[in-house]
């Protein structure tokens, strides 16, 4: 890993890391030389120098004339001192942070994700469910629109590899019947909702989380982490599951409905 990347990871700004490394390599040098080696303007260099001076990572020594001052970098061990100082500060407030975390444990966490990448991020979470039991109400056509068939097929493959079993309800009018059938090998149990139920959104329930994925029209995803909400949504799922038809019993009816819909179009 590059040295400047390590310094940035430890909390320095990119220009601060470049300035410090330049000063360290030059030994003692005027501001213009350090700025040039660091690749920053002299105007910005003075601001960067002031910030590093406050952290005691650089200093000044008299130059060859009474009017000049040279920049000098402090020994690299100073970086370890800074890390240790920050660790002590964190330890001081850690009990209070833990207290805040405990108080917020019972509060639901709602996260909103915009666009295709946000939708993918939420879908990725479903494969990481701890219980290995996933409940889904899917709009197949919308999922094959966003985030797309190839990506979704890969997600399904990784779900199977992760050993996550999916119980899924799909609506016949918005389905793709040749894809994702009920399969023990694919860890999937499938039922079809009553014909009047047409899903344009997808929802998943896993652990203490409910995930909602919109169609391309609104293009967002949302997760709600809440034991109570997940329990309630699980009850709703079970009611709909009981009212839905098993895959083998509903296949012909679902296909017939699609044919009828197309003939009316």
């Amino acid at each position: 890993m590059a040295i400047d990347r390590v310094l940035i990871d430890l909390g320095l700004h990119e220009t601060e890391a470049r300035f410090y490394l330049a000063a360290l390599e030059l030994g003692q040098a005027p501001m213009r030389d350090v700025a040039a080696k660091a690749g920053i303007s002299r105007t910005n260099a003075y601001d960067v120098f002031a910030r590093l001076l406050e952290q005691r990572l650089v200093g000044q020594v008299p130059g060859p004339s009474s009017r000049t001052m040279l920049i000098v970098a402090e020994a690299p061990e100073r970086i370890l001192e800074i890390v240790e100082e920050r660790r002590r500060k964190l330890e001081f407030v850690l009990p209070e942070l833990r207290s805040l975390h405990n108080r917020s444990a019972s509060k639901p966490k709602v996260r909103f994700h915009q666009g295709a990448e946000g939708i993918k991020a939420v879908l990725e979470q479903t494969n990481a469910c701890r219980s290995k039991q996933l409940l889904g109400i899917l709009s197949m056509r919308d999922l094959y629109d966003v985030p797309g068939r190839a990506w979704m097929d890969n997600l399904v493959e990784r779900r199977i590899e992760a050993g996550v079993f999916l119980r899924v309800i799909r609506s016949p009018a918005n389905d793709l019947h040749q894809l994702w059938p009920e399969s023990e090998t694919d860890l999937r149990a499938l039922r079809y909702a009553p014909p009047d139920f047409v899903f344009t959104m997808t929802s998943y329930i896993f652990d203490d989380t409910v995930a909602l994925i919109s169609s391309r029209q609104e293009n967002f995803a949302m997760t709600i982490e809440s034991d109570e909400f997940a329990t309630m949504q699980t009850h709703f799922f079970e009611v709909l599951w009981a009212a839905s038809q098993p895959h083998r019993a509903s296949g012909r009816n679902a296909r017939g409905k699609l044919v009828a819909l197309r003939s009316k179009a």
Side-chain angles (χ1 to χ4, degrees):
M1 183 181 293
I3 298 176
D4 57 344
R5 184 70 256 174
V6 174
L7 295 179
I8 292 170
D9 290 343
L10 290 174
L12 293 184
H13 190 274
E14 180 182 353
T15 54
E16 293 173 351
R18 296 208 312 259
F19 188 101
Y20 175 75
L21 290 173
L24 197 66
E25 187 173 347
L26 291 173
Q28 297 180 2
M31 179 68 75
R32 65 174 180 274
D33 292 351
V34 179
K37 188 169 185 60
I40 58 180
S41 67
R42 287 186 63 182
T43 302
N44 289 336
Y46 283 103
D47 292 334
V48 174
F49 172 76
R51 295 197 298 270
L52 292 174
L53 184 64
E54 185 177 354
Q55 300 179 69
R56 292 186 287 119
L57 279 169
V58 296
Q60 288 180 307
V61 296
S65 69
S66 59
R67 295 184 176 180
T68 60
M69 297 294 291
L70 301 178
I71 308 299
V72 59
E74 297 295 338
E77 286 74 13
R78 171 60 191 152
I79 300 174
L80 287 176
E81 293 177 2
I82 292 175
V83 173
E84 182 61 24
E85 290 170 3
R86 291 175 178 173
R87 187 184 68 82
R88 287 196 295 268
K89 290 178 180 178
L90 178 59
E91 285 183 344
F92 182 76
V93 300
L94 199 56
E96 185 175 353
L97 291 173
R98 286 182 178 136
S99 175
L100 291 172
H101 180 262
N102 291 336
R103 288 201 299 267
S104 65
S106 62
K107 297 179 181 178
K109 298 179 180 66
V110 181
R111 294 180 175 87
F112 183 83
H113 304 262
Q114 187 67 46
E117 292 306 312
I119 291 173
K120 290 179 181 179
V122 169
L123 288 170
E124 289 285 1
Q125 295 180 37
T126 63
N127 280 353
C129 68
R130 300 182 301 276
S131 66
K132 303 296 183 180
Q133 298 295 319
L134 185 62
L135 308 179
I137 299 175
L138 271 61
S139 173
M140 285 281 288
R141 292 189 184 278
D142 290 295
L143 283 177
Y144 264 43
D145 187 25
V146 177
R149 175 172 178 171
W151 194 92
M152 284 301 304
D153 286 347
N154 179 260
L155 182 77
V156 171
E157 291 175 4
R158 289 186 284 117
R159 175 184 63 77
I160 297 167
E161 291 174 1
V164 176
F165 189 89
L166 171 66
R167 291 169 61 203
V168 60
I169 303 171
R170 307 203 302 247
S171 57
N174 204 13
D175 200 34
L176 302 172
H177 291 277
Q178 73 274 22
L179 303 169
W180 298 354
E182 179 167 302
S183 168
E184 292 184 8
T185 304
D186 291 349
L187 305 181
R188 183 189 303 109
L190 167 64
R191 288 195 178 187
Y192 285 109
D196 292 338
F197 285 70
V198 180
F199 309 128
T200 59
M201 288 187 68
T202 288
S203 67
Y204 286 103
I205 307 167
F206 55 97
D207 301 330
D208 61 349
T209 300
V210 177
L212 304 171
I213 296 105
S214 78
S215 66
R216 181 184 290 275
Q217 181 177 350
E218 296 190 357
N219 207 29
F220 77 92
M222 178 186 298
T223 57
I224 304 171
E225 295 179 31
S226 164
D227 284 328
E228 289 186 0
F229 188 67
T231 299
M232 182 181 72
Q233 292 301 308
T234 299
H235 291 331
F236 288 159
F237 176 90
E238 296 296 354
V239 170
L240 183 56
W241 180 267
S244 299
Q245 290 184 313
H247 173 226
R248 295 178 183 84
S250 62
R252 289 189 299 272
N253 293 339
R255 288 185 179 86
K257 181 176 177 63
L258 285 174
V259 170
L261 287 173
R262 291 189 184 111
S263 65
K264 293 178 181 178

